[in-house]
Amino acid sequence: QVQPVESGGGLVQAGGSHRLSCVASGRIFSDYAMGWFRQAPGKERVFVARITWNGRTTYYADSVKGRFTISRDNVKSTVYLQMNSLKSDDTAVYYCAAYADAYGDQVRFWGQGTQVTVSS
């Protein structure tokens, strides 16, 4: 069983930057893709970013492309989400996702979520 654990949520000023982290233990971290999703109040959970097992390929939702960067450190079993130029629309609970495969076909495990609130 894998339990991703997010950290780094908080209150951020619009236009500012913030970084989320997620540690995922319980299996060989470097064998699997990792990702981030988010859920705003009253809305469904949506995809934000994904990174393949070796970190060479990343994917982003159009809404965050050019502002957010996903990265991973396989030695520390940690995936990061660097968020720049934050907007009020980025306010959401952010969930770390551990995929069932190396390239990110299907999410298998979810973190408990961390709240990010962007104040204008």
Side-chain angles (χ1 to χ4, degrees):
Q1 186 75 9
V2 175
Q3 179 57 59
V5 179
E6 304 96 338
S7 62
L11 180 63
V12 191
Q13 291 268 353
S17 298
H18 203 65
R19 191 177 79 162
L20 303 180
S21 301
C22 171
V23 177
S25 58
R27 63 180 185 181
I28 301 174
F29 181 82
S30 58
D31 282 354
Y32 299 92
M34 296 292 296
W36 290 94
F37 287 68
R38 68 186 182 186
Q39 186 169 16
K43 297 187 177 181
E44 295 185 350
R45 189 178 302 186
V46 297
F47 168 77
V48 174
R50 183 172 86 245
I51 187 167
T52 56
W53 66 280
N54 55 7
R56 292 179 181 175
T57 306
T58 56
Y59 305 87
Y60 297 94
D62 288 343
S63 59
V64 306
K65 203 171 293 183
R67 300 188 298 121
F68 289 12
T69 302
I70 188 171
S71 61
R72 66 189 295 159
D73 184 333
N74 285 345
V75 173
K76 296 182 178 180
S77 297
T78 302
V79 61
Y80 304 98
L81 185 68
Q82 177 66 43
M83 305 181 291
N84 298 329
S85 302
L86 282 161
K87 309 173 183 178
S88 57
D89 287 350
D90 296 318
T91 294
V93 177
Y94 284 73
Y95 294 91
C96 180
Y99 286 86
D101 63 288
Y103 294 94
D105 182 52
Q106 184 176 2
V107 176
R108 185 169 183 184
F109 302 103
W110 293 97
Q112 80 286 354
T114 187
Q115 176 72 46
V116 174
T117 302
V118 182
S119 64
S120 56

